[in-house]
Amino acid sequence: MENVQNHYSLIIQWSDLDNCFVVSLTEWGDFCHIHGDTYKEAFQQGKELLDFLIETTLEEGNILPIPQSFQQSLVTT
């Protein structure tokens, strides 16, 4: 089975308000964010959070959200 984790979105953007990089995990809800002082740190934080979300969702017996594809995100914007 292909690793679905590799299909989730991590959107990394600079935040002037927070003075750091903010990572949004869009498939996990509008308020699922984490941050880092550098782009690299933000990516690592985002990946760790994604790993945690997948693990806990599966442990609790819940269904993982459907990963968005590039084409889907173009249609919804």
Side-chain angles (χ1 to χ4, degrees):
M1 183 171 144
E2 190 172 346
N3 186 354
V4 71
Q5 175 185 354
N6 296 329
H7 297 280
Y8 285 108
S9 305
L10 293 176
I11 299 173
I12 304 173
Q13 298 172 304
W14 178 256
S15 170
D16 287 331
L17 180 64
D18 300 312
N19 199 32
C20 65
F21 288 94
V22 175
V23 183
S24 302
L25 290 87
T26 57
E27 289 93 348
W28 300 87
D30 292 338
F31 301 105
C32 190
H33 304 284
I34 198 160
H35 67 279
D37 291 329
T38 66
Y39 191 92
K40 184 176 180 178
E41 181 183 315
F43 175 76
Q44 187 62 39
Q45 295 283 3
K47 184 170 177 339
E48 289 174 10
L49 177 57
L50 180 57
D51 291 343
F52 173 78
L53 289 169
I54 290 170
E55 182 179 328
T56 56
T57 299
L58 293 174
E59 284 177 358
E60 293 172 356
N62 295 321
I63 298 171
L64 294 172
I66 298 170
Q68 294 179 351
S69 69
F70 180 68
Q71 292 78 12
Q72 287 173 325
S73 61
L74 288 177
V75 172
T76 59
T77 53

